[in-house]
Amino acid sequence: MSEPQLPPPGGSLDNKEPGGGAGGAKAPWKTDNESNGSQLMREIISGNAMISVLAVLVALVIGGVLIAVTDQRVVTAFGYFFSDPSATFGAIWASISDAYGALWRGATYDPNSRTWQGRLGIFETLTFATPLILSGLAVTLAFRVGLFNIGAQGQIILGATFAGIVGFMMELPPGIHLAAVVLAGALGGAIWGGIAGFLKAKTGAHEVIVTIMLNYIAISLVLYLLKNQLRDPASSNPISPRMHETAMFPLLLGPNYRVHAGLILAIAAVFVVSWLLNRSTLGFEYRAIGANPRAARTAGMLVSRGYITVMLISGALAGLAGVTQLAGTEKLLDSDVAGSIGFDAITVALLGRSKPWGTFFAALLFGAFKAGGTSMAINADISIDIVAVVQSLIVLFIAAPPLVRSMFRIKEVRREGVSA
Amino acid sequence: MSITEKSAPSKVTDPISIRSRKMPVLLGSLALFSVVVFIVLGPSGTATFRISQPSDVWQVPNLVLPAKAMGVLVSVICVGLAYLAWSQTQKTGKIAKWVVMTFAVVFVVGLMVWIIGGTTTQNITLVGLFTGAMLITTPLVFGSMSGVLSERSGVVNIAIEGQLLAGAFTAALVASITHNAFAGLFAAALAGVLVSLLLALFSIKYVVNQIIVGVVLNVLVSGLTGFLFEKIMKTKVDGVTIYNQPAHLPNLPIPLLSEIPIIGPTLFRQSIIGYFMLILVAALWFGLFRTRWGLRVRAVGEHPKAADTVGINVNRTRVLNVLAGGAVAGVGGAYFTLVAVSSFSKDMTGGLGFIALAALIFGRWNPIGAALAALLFGVAGNLQSILSLAGTPIDGQFLAMLPYALTILAVSGFVGKAMAPAADGEPYIKE
C-alpha cells in the first residue's frame, strides 16, 4: 500500500497482504472468473480458507497445551518424567482427549448421555448459534461499510427490552403477538444502532467509542427499568415477569430440545443480508463506501445516509438476536440477557471474513464451542473460559495471515492479473 | 483511522462554528433542567456536607446548605450564564472559556445539593465520598495513562481492560506465591507488558486493525485469567486457597499533608501505587509537552510520515510506547488485588478499562485532563454506591451512565471537540 491512510477500518483485516490489500479478497466488484483449475488448487492449499482451518487448528493446539499443563494428572506424571516418560505423554493425551472429547460430544452427539438433551448436543449447538448468527450479521454488515459495530451488546439488550415490553406487558392474539415482539425487538436495536450511525454521520463521532459507551448505558438503562417499571412484582430480584406463551418462538423439535423457530428467522436473515450486500443497489453503495468513502462521495453517493441506514439495519439485526434470546431461550428479561453474545459477534464476523454465509458457518462453530464448552465444564472439569481463549486465538491468527503462513511455511498466493 | 472521520462533511465547515452552535443549546437545556429539577422538584430542608471526621486534627465545621434556596441560586446563575453564552455566540462566534467552566462547577454544586437534600438522611461525608472514589479513580488513572502513552504515538488501545485484568491476576498470583507484595507489583507490570507485546506484534508488525486486536485481546485475557483462576487459584491446600492470598501493600500516610481536610485522606494516605500515580500523571504531562521525547512521540502520533522524514523511527517509538503503557496499566491492575480488595476474582475489573478509555477521551488525550476525568468518574461511581443505601431522588443507574454519556457528548462535539491524535489507529508502513 502506498498510502497508509487509505484502507477503511473494516475494508480489509489484513491490509498489508501484498497483492491483496484493499484490492484483494474484499474488492466488491471483482469476480474471480479468471481462476482456472491450478489456480483453484493453489487457492485451496494456501488461500484464505486454508488459513482459517490452520488458525482453528493452532488455536486448538494452544488450548490443549493450556489444558494439559494445568492438569493435576500431567503435573504428577511429570514428577517422575525421567524414570517413566511415557506416563507423562499418556497423561497429556488423557487430559487433552478427555477435554476435547467432551467438547466434541457436547457439541454433536453423545451416545452415553442419560438425557435426550445431552445425547443430541447438535441441537444445543444450533440453539446457541441462533443469536450468534443474527448479531454476527449485524457486525458483518457494518464492517462492509467500514464501520465497527462494537455495540451489538447494547443493541441486543435494547432489542430484548423492547421485545420484553411487548412480550410480557401486552396481551395479543397468537401469531400477531410474536410478530409484534419481533418487530419491537428490531426497533429497539435499530434505535440504539441508529444513534451511533447518526452521530457518525452528523458529527464525525467515532462509532467505536460511541457504541462502547452505548453498551454500558444500555446495561444501566435495563437495570433501572428492571428495578422499576419492568420488574416482576412477585420477585425480589431485578428480573421481569415471564413472556406470555403467545410471544414465544415455537420449539422446532418438541419440548426435549431448546432449538426454536428463531433459527429460521436467523437463516432467513442470512439470505436477506446476502441479497442486500450482493444484489441490491443499497448494498452496492455500502460496499463502495466501505472500499473508499471519498470515491463513493465523488460518485454521488450519500455517505452519511449510508452510515445512518447501515447502523439502523445492523442494530435491528442485533436487536433480533436479543429477541431470539428472550423469546427463544431465556423467557424473561434480566440484565445479563445478552451474555457475551455481543462480543462473540465481533469474533464471529471476523472469522466469517465479513461475508454473510461465512458469518453463518462461523456462528455455527462458535455455537458448537458454547454447547461443547458447557459439557466440557461438567464432564471434564475444564472451565468454559478455555473456549474464550481458543476463540480469541482463532481470530488473532485469522487476522494475521502472514503469521500463520510463516508458521507453516506456506507461500503467498499471487493473483495474476491483479495489480496491487 | 482517527477518532474523527476525516472525510465527514462536518469537517468541511469551521470547527469553531460547530462548537458554538452546540454549546449554547447544551447549556440552555441544562439551565432549563436546573430550573425544573432544582427549583420545582427540589427538596425542602437542608443538605449537610460533613468535611471533618471526629478523629481529624483540624476540625472544619460542617457545610449546611438550604436546598431550596441553593436550587434557586444555582438556577439563576445557570440561566444567566447560558444567556451569556448565547449572546457571545451571536456576537463573536466563540464562548469565553470561563463561562463554560463556571457553568459546569455551579451546575455540579446544584446537582450535589439536590441529590443530598433529597436523600432520607440529607447529609454526606465528603471524606468518605472522595476516599471511596479513589478506589475507582486509581485504576482508571493508570488505565488512561496507558491509553495516553499508546494513543499519543498513534496506536489505539482498546486493550486497557485486558491489561488491567492481567495485572490484577498476576499480582495476586505472584504476591501469594512469594508472600511479597512488591514481587506481585513487578510481575503485574510485566503481565501488562506481555499483553502490550501482543498488541504491538499484531497491530504494528502484522498491521492487523488495532481495534480488532484490542477487542480480541480483552477476550483472550478474560478467558485466560478465568481459566487459570478456576484451575490454579481455586485449588485448595489444607482447605486454604493458597494461590489467592496476596500479600498487601501498606498505606503510607505522609505526615502533616495527610492531616489536611479532605485532600489529606484522599491523596496522602495512600499505598505506594497511589503516590506513583500522582508522580506518573505529572511526569507524563511534563514528558509529553515539555521534552524532546514527548515532541517525538506526538509527531509520530500526528504525522508519522513527517516524523520518519526527520529520522524518527516511527514503529520503534510506537512499540516502546505501547509496552510502557502496558507496564503502567499492569501496575494499575495490581492496585485491585494488592490494595483495594484481598483477592482476585473472575473479571474483577468489570469494564473499568473501558471507563479509562472514556476518561482518556473526555480528558482529550492529555494526562492531566484524563486524570481529572478519572476523578470525576470515580466520584460519580462512588456516589452511586453511597446513594444506593440512602434513598435518593435520582436513581444510581443514571449516575452510572454519566461517564459514558459525557464521553459520547465529547466525541460528538457538544463538550468542546475531542480530537484524537491525527494518525491514531493508522498503521505506518515505510515505503
Side-chain angles (χ1 to χ4, degrees), chain A residues 206 208-209 212, chain B residues 1-3 146-147 150-160 163 199-200 203 209-215 217 318 322 357 360-361 365 420-421 423-427:
Chain A
H206 200 293
V208 169
I209 309 294
I212 288 176
Chain B
M1 179 179 42
S2 64
I3 294 300
S146 168
S150 76
E151 303 217 354
R152 276 288 177 178
S153 75
V155 179
V156 168
N157 191 355
I158 305 272
I160 298 172
Q163 293 169 332
L199 179 63
S203 65
N209 187 296
Q210 297 166 2
I211 292 167
I212 292 179
V213 183
V215 169
L217 282 180
R318 287 185 170 179
V322 171
L357 189 71
L360 168 74
I361 296 161
W365 287 267
D424 203 9
E426 290 178 8

CSV table of all heavy atoms in Angstrom, one decimal, chain A residues 206 208-209 212, chain B residues 1-3 146-147 150-160 163 199-200 203 209-215 217 318 322 357 360-361 365 420-421 423-427:
chain,number,residue,atom,x,y,z
A,206,HIS,N,-16.6,9.0,16.5
A,206,HIS,CA,-16.2,7.7,16.1
A,206,HIS,C,-17.1,6.6,16.6
A,206,HIS,O,-17.4,6.5,17.8
A,206,HIS,CB,-14.8,7.4,16.6
A,206,HIS,CG,-14.1,6.3,15.8
A,206,HIS,ND1,-14.6,5.0,15.9
A,206,HIS,CD2,-13.1,6.3,15.0
A,206,HIS,CE1,-13.9,4.3,15.1
A,206,HIS,NE2,-13.0,5.0,14.5
A,208,VAL,N,-16.8,3.5,17.1
A,208,VAL,CA,-16.3,2.5,18.1
A,208,VAL,C,-16.5,3.1,19.5
A,208,VAL,O,-17.0,2.4,20.4
A,208,VAL,CB,-14.8,2.2,17.9
A,208,VAL,CG1,-14.2,1.5,19.0
A,208,VAL,CG2,-14.6,1.4,16.6
A,209,ILE,N,-16.1,4.3,19.7
A,209,ILE,CA,-16.2,4.9,21.0
A,209,ILE,C,-17.7,5.0,21.4
A,209,ILE,O,-18.1,4.6,22.5
A,209,ILE,CB,-15.6,6.3,21.0
A,209,ILE,CG1,-14.2,6.4,20.5
A,209,ILE,CG2,-15.7,6.9,22.4
A,209,ILE,CD1,-13.2,5.6,21.3
A,212,ILE,N,-19.2,1.6,22.2
A,212,ILE,CA,-18.8,1.0,23.5
A,212,ILE,C,-19.5,1.7,24.6
A,212,ILE,O,-20.1,1.1,25.6
A,212,ILE,CB,-17.3,1.2,23.7
A,212,ILE,CG1,-16.5,0.3,22.8
A,212,ILE,CG2,-16.9,1.0,25.1
A,212,ILE,CD1,-15.0,0.5,22.8
B,1,MET,N,-7.2,5.0,11.1
B,1,MET,CA,-8.5,5.5,11.4
B,1,MET,C,-8.4,6.4,12.6
B,1,MET,O,-7.9,6.1,13.6
B,1,MET,CB,-9.4,4.4,11.7
B,1,MET,CG,-10.8,4.8,12.0
B,1,MET,SD,-11.8,3.4,12.3
B,1,MET,CE,-10.7,2.4,13.2
B,2,SER,N,-8.8,7.6,12.4
B,2,SER,CA,-8.8,8.5,13.5
B,2,SER,C,-10.1,8.6,14.2
B,2,SER,O,-11.1,8.1,13.7
B,2,SER,CB,-8.3,9.9,13.0
B,2,SER,OG,-9.3,10.4,12.2
B,3,ILE,N,-10.1,9.3,15.3
B,3,ILE,CA,-11.4,9.3,16.1
B,3,ILE,C,-12.4,10.2,15.4
B,3,ILE,O,-13.6,9.9,15.5
B,3,ILE,CB,-11.1,9.8,17.5
B,3,ILE,CG1,-10.2,8.7,18.2
B,3,ILE,CG2,-12.3,10.0,18.3
B,3,ILE,CD1,-10.8,7.4,18.3
B,146,SER,N,-2.1,4.5,30.3
B,146,SER,CA,-1.7,3.5,29.3
B,146,SER,C,-2.2,4.0,28.0
B,146,SER,O,-1.5,3.9,27.0
B,146,SER,CB,-2.2,2.2,29.7
B,146,SER,OG,-2.1,1.3,28.6
B,147,GLY,N,-3.5,4.4,28.0
B,147,GLY,CA,-4.1,4.9,26.7
B,147,GLY,C,-3.3,6.2,26.2
B,147,GLY,O,-3.0,6.2,25.0
B,150,SER,N,0.0,5.0,24.5
B,150,SER,CA,0.0,4.4,23.2
B,150,SER,C,-0.8,5.2,22.2
B,150,SER,O,-0.3,5.3,21.0
B,150,SER,CB,-0.6,3.0,23.3
B,150,SER,OG,-2.0,3.0,23.5
B,151,GLU,N,-1.8,5.9,22.6
B,151,GLU,CA,-2.6,6.7,21.5
B,151,GLU,C,-1.8,7.9,21.1
B,151,GLU,O,-2.0,8.3,19.9
B,151,GLU,CB,-4.0,7.0,22.0
B,151,GLU,CG,-4.7,5.7,22.4
B,151,GLU,CD,-6.2,5.7,22.1
B,151,GLU,OE1,-6.7,6.7,21.7
B,151,GLU,OE2,-6.8,4.7,22.3
B,152,ARG,N,-1.1,8.5,22.0
B,152,ARG,CA,-0.3,9.7,21.6
B,152,ARG,C,0.8,9.3,20.5
B,152,ARG,O,1.2,10.1,19.7
B,152,ARG,CB,0.4,10.3,22.8
B,152,ARG,CG,-0.4,11.3,23.5
B,152,ARG,CD,-0.7,12.6,22.7
B,152,ARG,NE,-1.5,13.5,23.5
B,152,ARG,CZ,-1.9,14.7,23.0
B,152,ARG,NH1,-1.4,15.1,21.9
B,152,ARG,NH2,-2.7,15.4,23.7
B,153,SER,N,1.1,8.0,20.5
B,153,SER,CA,2.1,7.6,19.5
B,153,SER,C,1.4,7.0,18.3
B,153,SER,O,2.0,6.5,17.4
B,153,SER,CB,3.1,6.6,20.1
B,153,SER,OG,2.5,5.3,20.3
B,154,GLY,N,0.0,7.0,18.3
B,154,GLY,CA,-0.7,6.5,17.2
B,154,GLY,C,-1.2,5.1,17.2
B,154,GLY,O,-1.6,4.6,16.1
B,155,VAL,N,-1.2,4.5,18.4
B,155,VAL,CA,-1.8,3.1,18.4
B,155,VAL,C,-3.0,3.1,19.3
B,155,VAL,O,-2.9,3.5,20.5
B,155,VAL,CB,-0.8,2.1,19.0
B,155,VAL,CG1,-1.4,0.7,19.1
B,155,VAL,CG2,0.5,2.1,18.1
B,156,VAL,N,-4.2,2.8,18.8
B,156,VAL,CA,-5.4,2.8,19.5
B,156,VAL,C,-5.3,1.7,20.5
B,156,VAL,O,-5.0,0.5,20.2
B,156,VAL,CB,-6.6,2.6,18.6
B,156,VAL,CG1,-7.9,2.3,19.5
B,156,VAL,CG2,-6.9,3.9,17.8
B,157,ASN,N,-5.6,2.0,21.8
B,157,ASN,CA,-5.5,1.0,22.8
B,157,ASN,C,-6.9,0.6,23.4
B,157,ASN,O,-7.4,1.3,24.4
B,157,ASN,CB,-4.6,1.4,23.9
B,157,ASN,CG,-4.2,0.3,24.9
B,157,ASN,OD1,-4.8,-0.8,24.8
B,157,ASN,ND2,-3.4,0.6,25.8
B,158,ILE,N,-7.6,-0.4,22.8
B,158,ILE,CA,-8.8,-0.8,23.4
B,158,ILE,C,-8.6,-1.9,24.4
B,158,ILE,O,-9.5,-2.3,25.1
B,158,ILE,CB,-9.7,-1.4,22.2
B,158,ILE,CG1,-9.9,-0.4,21.1
B,158,ILE,CG2,-11.1,-1.8,22.8
B,158,ILE,CD1,-11.1,0.6,21.3
B,159,ALA,N,-7.3,-2.3,24.5
B,159,ALA,CA,-7.0,-3.5,25.3
B,159,ALA,C,-6.7,-3.1,26.8
B,159,ALA,O,-6.2,-3.9,27.5
B,159,ALA,CB,-5.8,-4.2,24.8
B,160,ILE,N,-7.0,-1.8,27.2
B,160,ILE,CA,-6.7,-1.4,28.5
B,160,ILE,C,-7.4,-2.4,29.5
B,160,ILE,O,-6.7,-2.8,30.5
B,160,ILE,CB,-7.3,0.0,28.8
B,160,ILE,CG1,-6.6,1.0,27.8
B,160,ILE,CG2,-7.1,0.4,30.2
B,160,ILE,CD1,-7.2,2.4,27.9
B,163,GLN,N,-5.3,-5.3,29.9
B,163,GLN,CA,-4.0,-5.1,30.6
B,163,GLN,C,-4.3,-5.0,32.1
B,163,GLN,O,-3.5,-5.5,32.9
B,163,GLN,CB,-3.4,-3.7,30.1
B,163,GLN,CG,-2.9,-3.8,28.7
B,163,GLN,CD,-2.6,-2.5,28.1
B,163,GLN,OE1,-3.1,-1.5,28.5
B,163,GLN,NE2,-1.7,-2.5,27.1
B,199,LEU,N,-0.3,-6.8,21.5
B,199,LEU,CA,-0.9,-5.6,20.8
B,199,LEU,C,0.1,-5.1,19.8
B,199,LEU,O,-0.3,-4.8,18.6
B,199,LEU,CB,-1.3,-4.6,21.8
B,199,LEU,CG,-2.0,-3.3,21.3
B,199,LEU,CD1,-3.3,-3.6,20.6
B,199,LEU,CD2,-2.2,-2.3,22.4
B,200,ALA,N,1.3,-4.9,20.2
B,200,ALA,CA,2.3,-4.4,19.3
B,200,ALA,C,2.6,-5.3,18.2
B,200,ALA,O,2.7,-4.9,17.0
B,200,ALA,CB,3.6,-4.0,20.1
B,203,SER,N,-0.6,-5.4,15.9
B,203,SER,CA,-1.0,-4.2,15.2
B,203,SER,C,0.1,-3.5,14.5
B,203,SER,O,-0.1,-2.8,13.5
B,203,SER,CB,-1.7,-3.3,16.2
B,203,SER,OG,-0.7,-2.9,17.2
B,209,ASN,N,-5.8,-4.6,12.1
B,209,ASN,CA,-6.5,-3.5,12.6
B,209,ASN,C,-6.4,-3.4,14.1
B,209,ASN,O,-6.7,-4.4,14.8
B,209,ASN,CB,-8.0,-3.5,12.2
B,209,ASN,CG,-8.7,-2.3,12.5
B,209,ASN,OD1,-8.8,-2.0,13.7
B,209,ASN,ND2,-9.1,-1.6,11.5
B,210,GLN,N,-6.0,-2.2,14.6
B,210,GLN,CA,-5.7,-2.1,16.1
B,210,GLN,C,-7.0,-2.3,17.0
B,210,GLN,O,-6.9,-2.8,18.1
B,210,GLN,CB,-5.1,-0.7,16.3
B,210,GLN,CG,-3.8,-0.6,15.6
B,210,GLN,CD,-3.3,0.9,15.6
B,210,GLN,OE1,-3.9,1.8,16.1
B,210,GLN,NE2,-2.2,1.1,14.9
B,211,ILE,N,-8.1,-1.9,16.5
B,211,ILE,CA,-9.3,-2.1,17.3
B,211,ILE,C,-9.7,-3.5,17.4
B,211,ILE,O,-10.0,-4.0,18.5
B,211,ILE,CB,-10.5,-1.3,16.7
B,211,ILE,CG1,-10.2,0.2,16.8
B,211,ILE,CG2,-11.8,-1.6,17.3
B,211,ILE,CD1,-11.1,1.1,16.0
B,212,ILE,N,-9.5,-4.3,16.3
B,212,ILE,CA,-9.8,-5.7,16.3
B,212,ILE,C,-8.8,-6.4,17.3
B,212,ILE,O,-9.3,-7.1,18.2
B,212,ILE,CB,-9.5,-6.3,14.9
B,212,ILE,CG1,-10.6,-5.9,14.0
B,212,ILE,CG2,-9.5,-7.9,15.0
B,212,ILE,CD1,-10.4,-6.4,12.6
B,213,VAL,N,-7.5,-6.0,17.3
B,213,VAL,CA,-6.6,-6.7,18.2
B,213,VAL,C,-7.0,-6.3,19.6
B,213,VAL,O,-7.0,-7.2,20.5
B,213,VAL,CB,-5.1,-6.2,17.9
B,213,VAL,CG1,-4.2,-6.9,18.8
B,213,VAL,CG2,-4.8,-6.4,16.5
B,214,GLY,N,-7.3,-5.1,19.9
B,214,GLY,CA,-7.7,-4.7,21.2
B,214,GLY,C,-8.9,-5.5,21.8
B,214,GLY,O,-8.9,-6.0,22.9
B,215,VAL,N,-9.9,-5.5,20.9
B,215,VAL,CA,-11.1,-6.2,21.3
B,215,VAL,C,-10.8,-7.7,21.6
B,215,VAL,O,-11.2,-8.3,22.7
B,215,VAL,CB,-12.2,-6.1,20.2
B,215,VAL,CG1,-13.4,-7.1,20.5
B,215,VAL,CG2,-12.7,-4.7,20.1
B,217,LEU,N,-7.9,-9.1,22.3
B,217,LEU,CA,-7.0,-9.3,23.5
B,217,LEU,C,-7.8,-9.2,24.8
B,217,LEU,O,-7.5,-10.0,25.7
B,217,LEU,CB,-5.9,-8.2,23.5
B,217,LEU,CG,-4.8,-8.4,22.5
B,217,LEU,CD1,-3.8,-7.3,22.6
B,217,LEU,CD2,-4.1,-9.8,22.8
B,318,ARG,N,6.5,3.6,18.5
B,318,ARG,CA,5.2,3.1,18.9
B,318,ARG,C,5.3,1.9,19.7
B,318,ARG,O,4.6,1.7,20.7
B,318,ARG,CB,4.4,2.8,17.6
B,318,ARG,CG,4.0,4.0,16.9
B,318,ARG,CD,3.2,3.7,15.7
B,318,ARG,NE,2.6,5.0,15.2
B,318,ARG,CZ,1.8,5.1,14.1
B,318,ARG,NH1,1.5,4.0,13.4
B,318,ARG,NH2,1.3,6.2,13.7
B,322,VAL,N,3.8,1.6,23.5
B,322,VAL,CA,2.7,0.6,23.8
B,322,VAL,C,3.2,-0.3,24.9
B,322,VAL,O,2.4,-0.6,25.9
B,322,VAL,CB,2.4,-0.3,22.5
B,322,VAL,CG1,1.5,-1.4,22.9
B,322,VAL,CG2,1.7,0.6,21.5
B,357,LEU,N,-10.8,4.3,29.1
B,357,LEU,CA,-10.8,4.8,27.7
B,357,LEU,C,-11.7,6.1,27.6
B,357,LEU,O,-11.3,7.0,26.9
B,357,LEU,CB,-11.4,3.7,26.8
B,357,LEU,CG,-11.3,3.9,25.3
B,357,LEU,CD1,-9.8,3.8,24.9
B,357,LEU,CD2,-12.1,2.9,24.6
B,360,LEU,N,-9.9,8.9,29.1
B,360,LEU,CA,-8.8,9.4,28.1
B,360,LEU,C,-9.4,10.3,27.1
B,360,LEU,O,-8.8,11.4,26.8
B,360,LEU,CB,-8.2,8.1,27.5
B,360,LEU,CG,-7.3,8.3,26.3
B,360,LEU,CD1,-6.0,8.9,26.7
B,360,LEU,CD2,-7.2,7.0,25.5
B,361,ILE,N,-10.5,9.9,26.6
B,361,ILE,CA,-11.2,10.8,25.5
B,361,ILE,C,-11.7,12.1,26.1
B,361,ILE,O,-11.5,13.1,25.6
B,361,ILE,CB,-12.3,10.0,24.8
B,361,ILE,CG1,-11.6,8.8,24.1
B,361,ILE,CG2,-13.0,10.8,23.8
B,361,ILE,CD1,-12.6,7.7,23.7
B,365,TRP,N,-7.0,13.3,25.6
B,365,TRP,CA,-5.6,12.7,25.4
B,365,TRP,C,-4.5,13.4,26.1
B,365,TRP,O,-3.4,13.4,25.7
B,365,TRP,CB,-5.3,12.6,23.9
B,365,TRP,CG,-6.1,11.5,23.2
B,365,TRP,CD1,-5.7,10.2,23.0
B,365,TRP,CD2,-7.5,11.6,22.7
B,365,TRP,NE1,-6.7,9.5,22.3
B,365,TRP,CE2,-7.8,10.4,22.1
B,365,TRP,CE3,-8.4,12.7,22.6
B,365,TRP,CZ2,-9.0,10.1,21.5
B,365,TRP,CZ3,-9.6,12.4,22.0
B,365,TRP,CH2,-9.9,11.1,21.5
B,420,ALA,N,-8.6,13.3,18.5
B,420,ALA,CA,-7.6,12.3,18.7
B,420,ALA,C,-6.3,12.7,18.0
B,420,ALA,O,-6.4,13.5,17.1
B,420,ALA,CB,-8.1,10.9,18.2
B,421,PRO,N,-5.2,12.2,18.4
B,421,PRO,CA,-4.0,12.4,17.5
B,421,PRO,C,-4.3,12.0,16.1
B,421,PRO,O,-5.0,11.0,15.9
B,421,PRO,CB,-3.0,11.4,18.2
B,421,PRO,CG,-3.4,11.3,19.6
B,421,PRO,CD,-4.9,11.4,19.6
B,423,ALA,N,-3.0,10.6,13.6
B,423,ALA,CA,-2.7,9.3,13.0
B,423,ALA,C,-3.0,8.1,13.9
B,423,ALA,O,-2.6,7.0,13.8
B,423,ALA,CB,-1.2,9.2,12.6
B,424,ASP,N,-3.9,8.4,14.9
B,424,ASP,CA,-4.3,7.4,15.9
B,424,ASP,C,-5.0,6.3,15.2
B,424,ASP,O,-6.0,6.5,14.5
B,424,ASP,CB,-5.2,8.0,16.9
B,424,ASP,CG,-5.2,7.3,18.2
B,424,ASP,OD1,-4.4,6.4,18.4
B,424,ASP,OD2,-6.1,7.6,19.1
B,425,GLY,N,-4.5,5.1,15.3
B,425,GLY,CA,-5.1,3.9,14.7
B,425,GLY,C,-4.6,3.6,13.3
B,425,GLY,O,-5.0,2.6,12.7
B,426,GLU,N,-3.8,4.4,12.8
B,426,GLU,CA,-3.3,4.2,11.4
B,426,GLU,C,-2.0,3.5,11.4
B,426,GLU,O,-1.0,4.1,11.9
B,426,GLU,CB,-3.3,5.4,10.6
B,426,GLU,CG,-4.7,5.9,10.4
B,426,GLU,CD,-4.8,7.2,9.6
B,426,GLU,OE1,-3.7,7.7,9.2
B,426,GLU,OE2,-5.9,7.8,9.5
B,427,PRO,N,-1.9,2.4,10.8
B,427,PRO,CA,-0.5,1.7,10.8
B,427,PRO,C,0.4,2.5,9.9
B,427,PRO,O,0.0,3.2,9.0
B,427,PRO,CB,-0.8,0.4,10.1
B,427,PRO,CG,-2.1,0.5,9.4
B,427,PRO,CD,-2.9,1.6,10.1
